[in-house]
């Protein structure tokens, strides 16, 4: 028995190429029980959806009917891109006949989509934003898909999916797929955050970054400063602080997944605050902010509305929006401190008047 066996380089490379998503789930859970089997299969289906969307995006400019608008407006009141519809249908298709997921709740659908043949068996719900940042698609800039898996609770006999209106701490798994120079799938099942890179030659997502930790602090702040005059004073005070102090740099792509991915790896903060027109913010809670908040906390970071942890917010409706401040612990706290300072000042003025 060789007790200090050193694997050869090609053995290390082969082992790495065999660390697919489904195997990684089992490695984390250290068992092959029914729940582990479910999660492994669920992640495999997510990976398939990512590959189908990535394939279409990679050839969008060469194919008829892929780019541009459908002429429809979705439940969010946003114009729908052809790619939004395609990606939404991809997720539905890969979960049909899977026996895994009973319901899919999507940004693109007013009500959840039920897969009745799966419901007696699959008690999971997939909540997802099939293509986030679709305004970037026609100019070939990165976009993403965001997902979370929740356990269906109760029978949902009236198809109201009211059991989905629970805090993000009920999420079993969450992640995103970033369609960038390479296609990456980043996920967590509550045991750290891990990234897989699609190897087109294999057609597999292969483990590329394990146990990602977001730095306590980073130089990047990511926000659409075009909304400056619509923000509350506390956010404006924070932005003025960014402008007046060295060591900060702005990065903003207009697509949440890419902006979040940068913060996850390099540190700093992404924020989409409420505005005068949209005090609740633009980003959706259930399938955008809560999944990313789950990842942020798993990577040692934080996610806040500005006054409350995102993962503690209990939605009152499926497509509820929320302000989002997410990233390094110190940087999220700095934004919150400006909000709190303004609130104190406004409270003391109110007392005096
Ligand atoms: P704005 C894309 O439409 C999106 O939902 C997110 O991906 C992105 O972070 C945000 O909206 C961009 O919004 O108002 O800066 O264009």
């Amino acid at each position: 028995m060789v007790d200090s066996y050193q694997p050869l380089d090609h053995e290390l490379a082969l082992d790495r190429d065999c660390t697919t998503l489904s195997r990684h789930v089992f490695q984390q859970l250290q068992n092959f029980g029914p729940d582990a089997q479910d999660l492994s299969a669920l992640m495999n289906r997510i990976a398939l959806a990512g590959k189908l969307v990535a394939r279409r995006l990679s050839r969008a400019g060469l194919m008829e009917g892929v780019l541009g608008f459908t002429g429809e407006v979705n439940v969010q009141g946003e114009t729908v891109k052809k790619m939004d519809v395609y990606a939404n249908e991809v997720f539905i298709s890969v979960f049909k006949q899977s026996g895994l997921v009973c319901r899919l709740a999507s940004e693109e659908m007013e009500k959840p989509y039920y897969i009745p043949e799966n419901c007696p068996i699959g008690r999971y719900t997939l909540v997802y934003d099939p293509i986030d940042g679709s305004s970037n698609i026609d100019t070939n800039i990165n976009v993403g898909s965001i997902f979370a898996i929740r356990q269906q609770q109760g029978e949902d006999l009236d198809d109201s999916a009211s059991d989905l209106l629970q805090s993000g701490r009920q999420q079993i798994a969450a992640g995103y797929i970033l369609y960038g120079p390479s296609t990456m799938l980043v996920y967590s099942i509550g045991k750290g955050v891990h990234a897989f890179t699609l190897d087109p030659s294999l057609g597999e997502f292969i483990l590329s970054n394990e146990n990602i930790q977001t730095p306590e602090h980073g130089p990047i702040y990511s926000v659409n400063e075009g909304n400056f005059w619509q923000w509350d004073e506390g956010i404006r005070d924070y932005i003025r602080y960014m402008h007046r102090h060295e060591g900060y740099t702005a990065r903003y792509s207009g697509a949440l997944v890419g902006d979040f991915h940068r913060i996850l790896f390099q540190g700093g903060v992404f924020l989409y605050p409420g505005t005068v027109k949209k005090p609740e913010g633009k980003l959706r809670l259930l399938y955008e902010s809560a999944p990313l908040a789950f990842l942020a906390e798993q990577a040692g970071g934080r996610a806040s509305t500005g006054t409350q942890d995102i993962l503690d917010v209990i939605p009152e409706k499926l497509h509820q929006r929320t302000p989002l401040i997410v990233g390094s612990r110190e940087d999220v706290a700095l934004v919150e401190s400006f909000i709190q300072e303004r609130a104190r000042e406004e409270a003391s003025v109110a007392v005096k008047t």
Side-chain angles (χ1 to χ4, degrees):
M1 174 67 180
V2 178
D3 57 5
S4 60
Y5 174 69
Q6 291 302 317
L8 303 173
D9 286 352
H10 78 267
E11 287 172 326
L12 290 172
L14 186 56
D15 193 53
R16 178 191 178 122
D17 283 351
C18 293
T19 307
T20 58
L21 254 175
S22 50
R23 175 171 127 175
H24 192 258
V25 169
F26 287 126
Q27 279 175 344
Q28 289 181 80
L29 295 175
Q30 298 287 307
N31 77 75
F32 295 95
D35 290 351
Q37 298 281 354
D38 279 356
L39 262 181
S40 178
L42 282 163
M43 290 314 304
N44 237 351
R45 305 310 284 179
I46 297 280
L48 176 58
K51 287 185 265 189
L52 287 164
V53 173
R55 182 179 66 175
R56 193 166 179 93
L57 284 170
S58 69
R59 298 182 300 186
L62 303 172
M63 294 167 68
E64 287 300 316
V66 177
L67 296 176
F69 294 91
T70 63
E72 305 292 319
V73 174
N74 67 12
V75 65
Q76 320 293 340
E78 294 168 348
T79 51
V80 177
K81 288 275 178 94
K82 292 174 185 170
M83 203 54 216
D84 289 321
V85 173
Y86 175 81
N88 193 57
E89 289 167 3
V90 160
F91 279 86
I92 292 171
S93 301
V94 304
F95 279 99
K96 279 187 170 172
Q97 280 86 41
S98 67
L100 290 167
V101 165
C102 174
R103 293 176 305 193
L104 295 97
S106 159
E107 175 189 320
E108 296 302 328
M109 301 186 291
E110 186 170 359
K111 299 281 185 194
Y113 182 97
Y114 285 78
I115 308 178
E117 66 271 22
N118 287 352
C119 287
I121 320 151
R123 311 306 290 171
Y124 299 100
T125 297
L126 178 76
V127 295
Y128 66 111
D129 181 358
I131 289 282
D132 179 81
S134 54
S135 56
N136 281 353
I137 290 177
D138 293 358
T139 49
N140 195 34
I141 296 171
N142 68 275
V143 293
S145 302
I146 308 172
F147 65 89
I149 295 164
R150 292 178 179 238
Q151 189 87 47
Q152 175 171 325
Q153 304 188 348
E155 292 306 310
D156 188 19
L157 298 175
D158 59 358
D159 290 2
S160 68
S162 54
D163 63 300
L164 287 180
L165 303 183
Q166 298 194 48
S167 82
R169 301 204 185 277
Q170 299 298 315
Q171 294 172 118
I172 296 170
Y176 58 83
I177 300 154
L178 174 60
Y179 310 101
S182 68
T183 298
M184 288 186 83
L185 189 152
V186 178
Y187 90 116
S188 175
I189 57 173
K191 295 177 178 296
V193 179
H194 317 283
F196 289 70
T197 299
L198 179 62
D199 179 337
S201 66
L202 280 176
E204 282 288 356
F205 282 98
I206 302 298
L207 181 66
S208 49
N209 309 80
E210 198 164 31
N211 292 317
I212 299 162
Q213 284 297 303
T214 299
E216 283 286 312
H217 162 67
I220 296 165
Y221 71 104
S222 183
V223 67
N224 180 348
E225 296 203 35
N227 294 330
F228 183 85
W229 295 106
Q230 296 184 56
W231 291 330
D232 291 336
E233 277 307 321
I235 298 292
R236 292 187 200 172
D237 290 341
Y238 166 73
I239 296 296
R240 291 182 189 109
Y241 182 91
M242 290 293 105
H243 292 167
R244 294 168 182 162
H245 290 76
E246 278 195 64
Y248 294 100
T249 188
R251 291 285 184 277
Y252 192 74
S253 76
L256 174 59
V257 170
D259 288 330
F260 176 81
H261 187 77
R262 183 190 294 113
I263 298 292
L264 180 75
F265 278 80
Q266 298 177 357
V269 63
F270 169 93
L271 51 159
Y272 204 105
T275 63
V276 169
K277 278 192 288 187
K278 296 178 184 170
E280 73 283 2
K282 173 182 182 183
L283 302 178
R284 272 62 58 153
L285 175 61
L286 213 62
Y287 39 77
E288 288 176 330
S289 299
L292 299 185
F294 185 84
L295 294 176
E297 288 202 3
Q298 284 290 317
R302 280 197 57 221
S304 165
T305 63
T307 56
Q308 182 182 15
D309 282 357
I310 289 283
L311 289 182
D312 292 332
V313 178
I314 297 177
E316 294 171 4
K317 51 188 180 182
L318 202 58
H319 299 290
Q320 179 164 318
R321 298 172 190 265
T322 177
L324 175 65
I325 302 162
V326 61
S328 297
R329 301 190 69 82
E330 289 178 18
D331 301 300
V332 171
L334 180 63
V335 180
E336 289 177 323
S337 68
F338 285 97
I339 294 171
Q340 290 153 9
E341 178 56 29
R342 272 291 169 175
R344 278 192 291 274
E345 287 171 9
E346 286 160 7
S348 65
V349 166
V351 165
K352 289 171 189 159
T353 50

